């Protein structure tokens, strides 16, 4: 596996993870694809090669592969939580709406 392709896969997994963490739309799709990409990156760490000036050499990722596994597991847990209805929590959305309403009420009182 070429190093650049692997880095592009990590970039895609990072974008998908950011999407399901902060945007919270289409959770089933983004969490599943993020988990798949993180898992694929974790599995392919042993065969990484860097192509430079006509020759290839192996790239050692080391402990970074455990971070990849952690993100894969986190994405799988988020997928399972979204399927079972635990993620995103409903009360957090209600609390943010209440705090927004309070801040709007306080700003109108001060005028």
């Amino acid at each position: 596996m070429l190093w650049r392709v692997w880095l592009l896969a990590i970039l895609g997994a990072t974008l998908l993870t950011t999407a399901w963490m902060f945007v919270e739309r289409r959770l089933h799709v983004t969490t599943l694809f993020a988990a798949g990409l993180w898992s694929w990156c974790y599995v392919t760490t042993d065969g990484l090669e860097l192509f430079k000036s006509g020759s290839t050499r192996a790239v050692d990722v080391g402990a970074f592969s455990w971070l990849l596994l952690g993100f894969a597991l986190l994405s799988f847990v988020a997928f399972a939580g979204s399927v079972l209805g635990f993620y995103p929590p409903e009360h957090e959305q209600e609390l943010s709406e209440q705090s927004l309403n309070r801040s709007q009420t306080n700003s109108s009182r001060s005028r």
Side-chain angles (χ1 to χ4, degrees), residues 25 29-30 33 36 38 40 49 64 76-78 110:
R25 292 189 182 152
V29 175
T30 54
F33 278 112
W38 286 120
W40 180 79
E49 295 178 339
F64 184 66
F76 276 122
V77 167
S110 63

Side-chain angles (χ1 to χ4, degrees), residues 18-67:
T18 304
W20 70 255
M21 281 185 166
F22 299 112
V23 177
E24 297 180 358
R25 292 189 182 152
R26 298 185 176 152
L27 284 174
H28 291 72
V29 175
T30 54
T31 55
L32 190 61
F33 278 112
L37 274 175
W38 286 120
S39 300
W40 180 79
C41 290
Y42 172 73
V43 170
T44 58
T45 55
D46 289 336
L48 287 177
E49 295 178 339
L50 181 62
F51 183 75
K52 196 169 193 177
S53 64
S55 64
T56 60
R57 62 182 174 146
V59 177
D60 183 28
V61 179
F64 184 66
S65 63
W66 291 106
L67 182 66

Side-chain angles (χ1 to χ4, degrees), residues 94-107:
E94 293 171 5
L95 290 175
S96 65
E97 290 173 3
Q98 289 175 358
S99 66
L100 179 65
N101 290 337
R102 283 187 203 142
S103 65
Q104 289 176 349
T105 305
N106 290 340
S107 66

